[in-house]
Amino acid sequence: MFRSIGNAVVRHPVWTIVAWLIAAVAIVATAPSLPSNSDESSFLPKSYESIKAADLQERAFPSAFTPSAIALYQRTDGGRLTAEDKKDVARITKELGEKKIDQVQKVVPGQPSEDGRYTLTLVQMDSKKAGQPEQADAAKVLRDDVKQLAKGTDLDVKLGGSAAQALDQQDSSKRGEALIGIGTFVIILVTLLIIFRAPILAFLPLITIGLVSAIANGLIAYATKLFDLQANSSISSILIVVLFGVGTDYFLFLMFRYRERLRLGDEPKQAMINAVDRVGEAIASAAGAVIIAFLALVLSTLGFLKQMGPALAIAVTVTLIAGLTLIPAVVSLIGPKVFWPSKSWQREPENARFAALGRGVRNRPALTAALSGLVLVALSLGTLGYKATFDLASGSMPDTKESMVVQDEMQKAYSAGAAAPTDVYLSSTDGSPLDKGAFTAYASKLGAVDGVASARMTQVNKAGTTADFTVTLKYEASTDKAIETVGQVRDVAHSDAPDGTEALVGGMSSIFKDIDTAVNHDYKTVFPVAAALIMLILGLLLRSVVAPWYLMGSVGLGFGATLGATVWIFQEGQGHSGLMFMLPVIMYLFVVAIGTDYNILMIARLREEAREGRDPREAAGMAVRHAGPTVAAAGFILAATFATMMLAGNALLTEMGFAVSFGIAVAAFVMAMFFTPSLTALIGHAAWWPGHADRAKEPKAAPAPDSDGDLDSPVRDPAGRRT
């Protein structure tokens, strides 16, 4: 099949390129815009208690006041607010409400802090638009207006709250995307110039992947709209890295083999056909593993991950098709001039370092496997200290952003949980009015929970069937202590609800509690399904039942080593309270799926060497010698491109960038280079049971004309020389 694809695109390169250009123009011109949502509650299904509570609140208390934006006032000299200051705050609040800003429903004064140094203006917006771009736009207008109204006073005012966080997250995302895009471009360009010393080859993948990126983004927007998926601004940053990083990997897989075929004496066009034929299966299998792993995210209960899975799968699918059609067509059109001005492509280098590494794997496979395995196990010990944090807003932007400063100052000025109180909604089960006499005792039981600062009944709906109890926690909503406390509040709210009533617990801490439950569900479903499907792909590629088990085992060790190192760096080294809650899921998919790419490339080459009559140890040594440079180059570029995510300046992308780049480095330079080839050498022919795919299919013979009239690929002797 891959030989047929190579023949088709090499014989019709212009038509192949034109087809890609037409597809790009058509898709980009007609694709809808990609929406974005920063509302954590929208990531959960309606079956979770926090979402049920939010729905009940909308029905029972449609006019209930829930602030989307909070203006925090303090004196410029940091002192207590004076009577004049309070008059200025009242005036600003009144005039702000009179402006009739889009999305703004109410503007009311808030409570002053106990120390008298702070006070608030609370702004309510349409709850159905929470997290949407319209509210971020409203926050921008509010921020400008409130600062303008405070001019000439002794007040310093900052705007926070969920709408302001959405605005700051949006701005931070744009800056992060720009830095990641520039960093990725520079790293790929410089690395390819060093490897090939050919400017055409350095710029070619950037240009072609840029075209692929436009098509992929358009298709992702179509899929997001068609299936009504949630989107988050962080996905755009991840997509940049996936498209350019994975795309460059497949480009390198192909170009290294194309150069090798030219050195063996193939005519240029035939060299590309043979390259696609030889490496096409490895590229397709590697991409298939990544696509399957990403698609496993549709089993997630979190809308954010549910959307990310298909989006990344679409990106890799388009990249795969480009790697097998667009890039071969462009390179075959240019021919060997693609290597200009370098002449090194004409002669095979000694590859002394990789030859030496290959000899080490061949001569001491047990020692190599033991040492590399020990490194992975040692790093994996860090996973024992893993903790999760759930504040997606602060994790998605720097602490210096205005909304984050407001959040921090409010935690100091008010009760830590005051900015996001927990609500317990008590409803009658038969539609009859509630017994108000039981409210005081019920509120007392809620207030007695360890970690609760206060609990009181705040309102009853018109029918008298639902009461709202506001529970203020002692901890900030996203902390582990708050999530643990809200779990205890739920237990008390359910067990101590009066007869004939039921309770639902809502609020941000309740949402984070449900997200924690959803993530634990994903660990039990997404991980095993992704692993099983990747093993199936490995089994089909290698025609083996044995090899997929130890290959997946090695990748699992790589995942453990990556998570352990990330825990040590960020939790122990930098003092983070925990890692972002979705990081292990994303890390698992990237490290397992993309790490499998390098295992596939190395094992496919090992099988190829074995089929030429080499024994298992010799085949492993030759595979490291010949595939080692490709794996090293691809691993370095992909790890470096993911590392550019650390330039974004926020916790989520910094942790993700480090974790994935470290995991890819481990996959390339520990697993694929040493661990898996040495294990394969030790296991020997049994690794390929029951298919025996490593056995030579026919005795060595001189090349004979194939059905096209071309010569079959040259046979090499055990030393790697052409015969």
Side-chain angles (χ1 to χ4, degrees):
M1 180 180 79
F2 295 103
R3 189 172 190 83
S4 299
I5 293 172
N7 266 312
V9 299
V10 168
R11 288 174 178 170
H12 307 287
V14 174
W15 285 112
T16 303
I17 296 167
V18 168
W20 272 92
L21 291 173
I22 291 172
V25 171
I27 291 170
V28 171
T30 59
S33 59
L34 187 65
S36 182
N37 196 334
S38 58
D39 179 22
E40 285 92 340
S41 65
S42 67
F43 300 154
L44 288 167
K46 295 186 181 297
S47 58
Y48 281 85
E49 181 169 350
S50 59
I51 307 305
K52 288 181 179 178
D55 291 341
L56 175 60
Q57 183 256 319
E58 284 191 16
R59 294 195 308 272
F61 307 103
S63 59
F65 190 91
T66 304
S68 298
I70 301 170
L72 178 68
Y73 304 89
Q74 67 179 128
R75 284 185 59 82
T76 53
D77 60 9
R80 290 174 62 90
L81 295 169
T82 65
E84 189 64 31
D85 295 331
K86 292 175 183 177
K87 285 182 182 179
D88 286 330
V89 171
R91 174 186 57 82
I92 293 169
T93 301
K94 180 175 177 292
E95 292 183 16
L96 205 58
E98 291 172 350
K99 285 182 175 288
K100 304 296 182 185
I101 298 168
D102 180 48
Q103 297 294 311
V104 173
Q105 296 175 333
K106 279 185 186 176
V107 181
V108 300
Q111 293 293 320
S113 62
E114 289 185 8
D115 60 10
R117 294 173 56 231
Y118 295 88
T119 192
L120 309 169
T121 292
L122 307 177
V123 182
Q124 179 176 326
M125 297 185 190
D126 184 358
S127 61
K128 294 179 181 178
K129 296 282 188 179
Q132 297 297 327
E134 296 96 317
Q135 293 203 353
D137 295 340
K140 181 173 175 52
V141 176
L142 277 168
R143 183 172 283 169
D144 292 341
D145 285 353
V146 76
K147 290 181 186 298
Q148 185 66 36
L149 291 170
K151 278 189 176 179
T153 70
D154 294 325
L155 296 170
D156 176 52
V157 58
K158 300 181 185 72
L159 192 77
S162 59
Q165 287 176 355
L167 172 64
D168 290 341
Q169 188 177 349
Q170 192 179 84
D171 293 341
S172 179
S173 176
K174 288 178 182 176
R175 175 181 174 275
E177 280 181 37
L179 289 172
I180 290 169
I182 293 168
T184 299
F185 187 92
V186 170
I187 286 169
I188 293 174
L189 182 64
V190 171
T191 307
L192 290 178
L193 279 171
I194 293 171
I195 292 173
F196 292 107
R197 296 188 292 278
I200 298 175
L201 266 183
F203 281 99
L204 185 59
L206 295 171
I207 295 169
T208 54
I209 296 167
L211 179 66
V212 170
S213 175
I215 293 174
N217 275 292
L219 293 175
I220 289 165
Y222 272 122
T224 301
K225 184 177 180 180
L226 181 63
F227 297 106
D228 193 27
L229 299 169
Q230 298 293 338
N232 185 273
S233 53
S234 300
I235 291 178
S236 298
S237 301
I238 300 169
L239 273 175
I240 292 171
V241 177
V242 169
L243 283 163
F244 281 89
V246 173
T248 304
D249 263 15
Y250 299 160
F251 176 81
L252 284 172
F253 291 177
L254 185 68
M255 292 311 300
F256 270 91
R257 186 54 71 99
Y258 175 61
R259 187 174 65 179
E260 183 180 327
R261 299 308 308 175
L262 288 173
R263 286 169 176 167
L264 289 170
D266 286 1
E267 180 271 329
K269 288 189 180 296
Q270 190 61 41
M272 180 54 73
I273 294 171
N274 287 337
V276 173
D277 181 33
R278 288 295 185 98
V279 85
E281 185 180 25
I283 291 176
S285 299
V290 177
I291 292 164
I292 287 293
F294 288 159
L295 283 177
L297 281 176
V298 300
L299 300 175
S300 171
T301 50
L302 291 173
F304 169 64
L305 295 177
K306 223 170 217 181
Q307 195 269 350
M308 181 185 284
L312 296 178
I314 289 169
V316 175
T317 301
V318 179
T319 305
L320 166 64
I321 297 170
L324 295 177
T325 59
L326 180 60
I327 291 173
V330 173
V331 174
S332 66
L333 205 59
I334 301 171
K337 291 179 182 177
V338 75
F339 296 104
W340 177 89
S342 174
K343 303 286 187 183
S344 61
W345 67 272
Q346 297 175 349
R347 58 188 182 279
E348 184 173 359
E350 292 297 323
N351 275 347
R353 292 180 183 175
F354 289 98
L357 292 175
R359 287 194 296 272
V361 170
R362 179 193 65 194
N363 297 334
R364 300 179 182 83
L367 179 63
T368 304
L371 289 177
S372 53
L374 188 62
V375 169
L376 298 175
V377 171
L379 288 173
S380 297
L381 295 176
T383 59
L384 300 175
Y386 168 73
K387 293 179 182 177
T389 183
F390 296 87
D391 190 354
L392 188 60
S394 62
S396 301
M397 65 186 112
D399 294 338
T400 53
K401 283 290 186 181
E402 186 170 326
S403 59
M404 292 295 98
V405 174
V406 170
Q407 178 174 289
D408 183 57
E409 290 184 351
M410 281 192 66
Q411 287 175 28
K412 295 173 183 174
Y414 297 83
S415 169
T422 295
D423 289 288
V424 177
Y425 299 102
L426 188 69
S427 301
S428 64
T429 54
D430 58 4
S432 60
L434 295 168
D435 176 12
K436 295 183 179 180
F439 289 173
T440 302
Y442 189 63
S444 296
K445 290 176 181 177
L446 293 173
V449 174
D450 187 32
V452 171
S454 65
R456 59 192 176 90
M457 198 284 292
T458 52
Q459 58 184 331
V460 180
N461 69 338
K462 289 180 180 179
T465 56
T466 300
D468 177 9
F469 293 80
T470 299
V471 179
T472 304
L473 307 183
K474 295 178 180 178
Y475 317 109
E476 195 276 319
S478 65
T479 60
D480 288 340
K481 288 184 177 179
I483 293 167
E484 182 181 347
T485 300
V486 88
Q488 295 172 9
V489 169
R490 281 185 177 181
D491 292 340
V492 171
H494 297 159
S495 62
D496 291 334
D499 291 340
T501 67
E502 62 178 2
L504 291 173
V505 180
M508 289 309 301
S509 294
S510 186
I511 288 171
F512 292 135
K513 174 71 175 174
D514 286 339
I515 288 176
D516 186 28
T517 303
V519 170
N520 288 330
H521 164 271
D522 290 351
Y523 291 159
K524 296 172 185 175
T525 54
V526 176
F527 283 22
V529 169
L533 292 174
I534 291 173
M535 284 186 65
L536 179 62
I537 288 176
L538 289 172
L540 293 173
L541 169 69
L542 303 175
R543 285 79 167 172
S544 166
V545 172
V546 177
W549 285 98
Y550 68 82
L551 290 177
M552 282 304 298
S554 71
V555 173
L557 273 177
F559 167 75
T562 303
L563 182 57
T566 308
V567 168
W568 277 331
I569 292 291
F570 290 97
Q571 286 185 205
E572 307 298 333
Q574 296 190 12
H576 289 196
S577 60
L579 303 179
M580 290 305 296
F581 67 90
M582 80 278 281
L583 187 64
V585 177
I586 293 172
M587 187 192 305
Y588 174 84
L589 293 168
F590 277 103
V591 173
V592 169
I594 296 177
T596 303
D597 277 12
Y598 302 131
N599 271 345
I600 286 174
L601 188 70
M602 184 63 74
I603 296 302
R605 186 59 189 245
L606 191 154
R607 179 185 62 183
E608 186 179 324
E609 298 293 340
R611 280 176 170 174
E612 293 186 3
R614 296 180 175 86
D615 65 58
R617 294 194 178 197
E618 181 67 22
M622 292 299 290
V624 172
R625 176 183 176 183
H626 289 292
T630 310
V631 170
F636 172 79
I637 288 178
L638 193 58
T641 52
F642 271 103
T644 61
M645 294 171 71
M646 299 172 71
L647 300 173
N650 66 66
L652 173 61
L653 292 180
T654 298
E655 291 173 3
M656 193 184 300
F658 170 81
V660 178
S661 61
F662 184 86
I664 288 167
V666 167
F669 297 101
V670 179
M671 287 192 304
M673 203 78 73
F674 299 107
F675 194 59
T676 50
S678 58
L679 276 180
T680 307
L682 281 173
I683 297 171
H685 293 298
W688 307 95
W689 183 87
H692 304 298
D694 64 324
R695 303 299 175 93
K697 292 186 176 181
E698 56 187 28
K700 294 180 184 180
D706 61 18
S707 59
D708 302 350
D710 300 312
L711 291 181
D712 286 326
S713 303
V715 180
R716 287 176 290 163
D717 65 18
R721 295 184 296 268
R722 187 180 178 208
T723 60

